[in-house]
Amino acid sequence: MTSFENIYHTEKYQKHRQQYIDKIFLPRNKREREKLPLEAGFSLESTEYSVFEKDSKYPSLTAYEQSLVSPDKSVVLRWQLCDDHDFTSFTRIFTHSDGRLYLIYKEDLYGYSVLRLSDRKALHYVPKGYYPHNGEEPPYPGESFIMTDLHYCPENNFAAAGGCFWAAPYDTAILDFSDPLSPPDKIITIHDIIDPSHENDELEDIDFKEWKDGHLILEADMIKEQFRFSAADLRRFMSM
């Protein structure tokens, strides 16, 4: 099993997830609610749930129940995000090169989910990640790239995802989105390509800027230097 292997449907992970859900999503833990616009007339409704220990001002556990609402105000999908980041900046609807609308969203800190709106087929992806070297695999994902925003390019079927490894500098990952409902075989990060030894501190923060004519434009934030990669470059990176 590789670090990119999908563990979402495993018994251990689902048991861990259900325990989280059972503990936090109770009426007494319900807090704030917000509604945000999405593409194509859809919207995202997000409700915070927080658990407070006795006499504490800060929650010991936070999660979100989120819903996709259609232009006619009906709920298309409702899910539980089991993490204290609401990831509203990640959630979006996009039109794929196949002409169909897809929703991409989060159910966990790691990985992502995709729903094809035309037939409600879905992908739930949580990578195995890297586990502590203690001889045992816990029933939750190990360290892997945490995606905070995602930008799809229909001209080349790649997606660029901003994010980081936990407590590490910001980076941009590349995913093959030829079929958004297929889990990725691998996820590459640009820092590993342009500075594989990680010796250049000036390249610590690499931000997504835009897709332009099928090319990926990134910027090293500290020095404001831009990098431009063609689809052929990205395919080569994915094969490394």
Side-chain angles (χ1 to χ4, degrees):
M1 181 181 280
T2 72
S3 63
F4 301 109
E5 188 80 17
N6 189 4
I7 66 168
Y8 181 90
H9 298 286
T10 63
E11 183 179 353
K12 281 185 175 182
Y13 177 76
Q14 284 300 316
K15 182 179 179 181
H16 160 72
R17 178 175 170 80
Q18 193 60 52
Q19 288 173 341
Y20 197 111
I21 289 172
D22 291 344
K23 183 176 181 180
I24 191 168
F25 290 104
L26 302 172
R28 66 175 180 269
N29 297 328
K30 193 172 183 178
R31 308 296 172 186
E32 299 177 355
R33 181 181 180 185
E34 64 176 333
K35 187 173 182 179
L36 301 165
L38 296 175
E39 293 81 355
F42 289 82
S43 60
L44 172 68
E45 291 185 354
S46 182
T47 303
E48 177 186 325
Y49 286 74
S50 292
V51 176
F52 288 81
E53 303 299 332
K54 186 178 180 180
D55 299 327
S56 175
K57 296 181 180 179
Y58 304 100
S60 60
L61 195 66
T62 297
Y64 298 86
E65 184 173 76
Q66 300 185 316
S67 301
L68 175 68
V69 181
S70 71
D72 66 6
K73 310 305 179 185
S74 62
V75 175
V76 177
L77 179 70
R78 181 173 288 114
W79 66 93
Q80 289 78 36
L81 169 56
C82 296
D83 189 70
D84 59 2
H85 303 83
D86 68 7
F87 285 112
T88 52
S89 62
F90 183 87
T91 307
R92 63 181 57 217
I93 286 175
F94 64 91
T95 303
H96 191 265
S97 62
D98 64 12
R100 291 183 280 192
L101 289 174
Y102 291 78
L103 166 73
I104 186 162
Y105 61 100
K106 288 266 203 171
E107 290 193 3
D108 196 300
L109 176 66
Y110 300 104
Y112 60 89
S113 293
V114 179
L115 176 72
R116 188 163 62 202
L117 297 180
S118 59
D119 57 11
R120 306 298 172 86
K121 289 187 177 180
L123 164 72
H124 299 289
Y125 173 65
V126 174
K128 177 189 175 185
Y130 301 95
Y131 289 103
H133 298 292
N134 57 8
E136 296 184 5
E137 294 183 357
Y140 46 81
E143 175 65 13
S144 59
F145 191 77
I146 301 166
M147 302 178 195
T148 59
D149 53 273
L150 186 135
H151 312 271
Y152 166 71
C153 179
E155 295 175 76
N156 56 35
N157 280 329
F158 283 107
C164 65
F165 291 94
W166 190 256
Y170 205 77
D171 203 346
T172 300
I174 307 300
L175 297 88
D176 183 349
F177 254 40
S178 298
D179 179 4
L181 298 183
S182 293
D185 293 326
K186 66 191 301 186
I187 299 171
I188 64 166
T189 53
I190 290 297
H191 200 151
D192 286 337
I193 299 297
I194 64 176
D195 181 30
S197 62
H198 288 249
E199 294 179 344
N200 188 346
D201 293 340
E202 293 183 337
L203 298 178
E204 282 194 345
D205 291 292
I206 300 173
D207 299 324
F208 171 84
K209 297 301 290 184
E210 62 178 330
W211 288 106
K212 188 172 183 179
D213 300 325
H215 288 71
L216 175 61
I217 312 299
L218 304 173
E219 184 174 275
D221 184 59
M222 292 181 66
I223 55 177
K224 304 303 178 185
E225 180 179 345
Q226 291 196 349
F227 299 87
R228 179 185 177 97
F229 301 109
S230 67
D233 292 329
L234 301 179
R235 284 191 289 270
R236 186 174 72 255
F237 297 159
M238 295 295 288
S239 66
M240 294 173 61

